[in-house]
Amino acid sequence: MINVFTDRHGLPAVSIKNDLAAALISLQGGHVMEYVPHGEEPILWMSSQSYFEQGKPIRGGIPICWPWFGAHPDNPDMPAHGFARLCLWSVAGGKELEDGSSEVLLRLDKCEVPEKFPAMAFALQLRVTVGRQLSVALEIANTSGMTFYFSGALHTYFNISDIANISVEGLDGSRYVSALEPEGVQQGAITFSREFDRVYLGTDATCYIVDTGFKRKIKIAKKGSLSTVVWNPWIEKSQRMPDFGDEEYHRMVCIETANAKEDQRHILPGESHILETIISKESL
Ligand code: TA6
């Protein structure tokens, strides 16, 4: 069942419930906020301090970072991670699929705060498929007469039992860059003992969050991406973020399906690019 309603924050939202899972999407930012396979711990994490206001990013779930990842390359006045997550999206369609999953289409054709952002002729569509797995596919169409360049990410926050109980597999041997440390090559699985913020490059690998506390693996496959961002803010950065509880870093990790850094993309007039993350749960 797919239901469009106004949520308790006064924002338009879409709830999805079927025999396999439940999900919740805010039209603020085209933002998948919740995904819960029946009988499972939630797969996505949401801060208890998140803003839920039009024009502000939601802290958790799957923020859409577009048309730039991180700080704007030229203009420090521009918001981090682009404007797609700040705008109000619209529902373009929804249907139940034969395998028991549900599909919702959202669209963003222009940003609601155009005076601040460069005129870009684009059409964004987000295809969200909820069932045994969660697929989120951002389709970027160039409706202008010129080639345009962009970077971005599906900046997914995952719900974990505790940062001490997890490791991340799939990036062994991948080169990374980071604002926190010199660039390097990943040795083995990733574990966490401090602020961690790496962009792995040249990788189309599927990643796994191995969580011994929840006795599960979360599988993160992807398409249209050769960069993966792994982030945990740890305590000092958590304390600096007003929409992030000081101790909440224990319960989350970001594994982001990206087109970041050297993996920025360009789209010729009339063409499009799809960035897709496919998330599922496996037993340990
Ligand atoms: O994806 C990692 C990152 O770029 C971190 O550096 C941190 O800034 C995080 O994104 C959150 O960014 P935000 O603008 O949502 O606070």
Side-chain angles (χ1 to χ4, degrees), residues 8 13 21 32 34 48 67-68 94 117 119 174 187 198 241-242 279 284:
R8 59 193 170 93
V32 179
E34 296 175 16
S48 62
W68 60 86
F117 302 118
S174 292
Q187 304 298 323
R198 293 181 179 175
M241 294 186 284
I279 297 164
L284 260 189

Side-chain angles (χ1 to χ4, degrees), residues 86-201:
L86 308 179
C87 298
L88 207 55
W89 290 54
S90 58
V91 178
K95 61 183 177 183
E96 306 298 344
L97 303 180
E98 285 184 11
D99 67 357
S101 56
S102 310
E103 179 186 277
V104 169
L105 289 180
L106 305 182
R107 279 186 70 87
L108 179 68
D109 292 315
K110 63 177 178 57
C111 190
E112 299 304 311
V113 276
E115 71 282 359
K116 275 172 48 177
F117 302 118
M120 285 177 72
F122 62 85
L124 291 189
Q125 177 170 280
L126 193 75
R127 179 172 28 84
V128 182
T129 310
V130 175
R132 291 190 203 292
Q133 65 185 24
L134 169 68
S135 163
V136 178
L138 176 66
E139 180 167 342
I140 303 134
N142 180 349
T143 56
S144 74
M146 298 185 304
T147 298
F148 72 62
Y149 291 76
F150 67 91
S151 58
L154 298 171
H155 190 300
T156 310
Y157 288 77
F158 289 96
N159 174 41
I160 57 174
S161 61
D162 190 284
I163 195 71
N165 295 339
I166 70 158
S167 60
V168 174
E169 297 178 348
L171 294 166
D172 181 25
S174 292
R175 179 169 60 90
Y176 62 80
V177 294
S178 171
L180 303 175
E181 58 190 318
E183 68 178 66
V185 174
Q186 182 60 39
Q187 304 298 323
I190 298 168
T191 54
F192 301 85
S193 58
R194 52 175 167 72
E195 183 179 354
F196 191 103
D197 191 353
R198 293 181 179 175
V199 180
Y200 290 87
L201 296 164

Side-chain angles (χ1 to χ4, degrees), residues 1 16-23 35-41 43 96-103 129-134 281:
M1 181 178 69
I16 298 160
K17 287 186 179 61
N18 56 44
D19 291 343
L20 303 170
Y35 169 56
V36 189
H38 290 328
E40 275 301 322
E41 289 288 333
I43 297 288
E96 306 298 344
L97 303 180
E98 285 184 11
D99 67 357
S101 56
S102 310
E103 179 186 277
T129 310
V130 175
R132 291 190 203 292
Q133 65 185 24
L134 169 68
K281 191 276 298 176

Side-chain angles (χ1 to χ4, degrees), residues 57 59 63 69-70 80-81 85 155 157 195 197 229-231 237 241 243 254 256:
R59 177 70 69 187
F69 177 81
H81 291 322
R85 67 177 182 169
H155 190 300
Y157 288 77
E195 183 179 354
D197 191 353
V229 183
V230 180
W231 178 56
K237 180 136 190 179
M241 294 186 284
D243 58 344
C254 283
E256 304 161 32

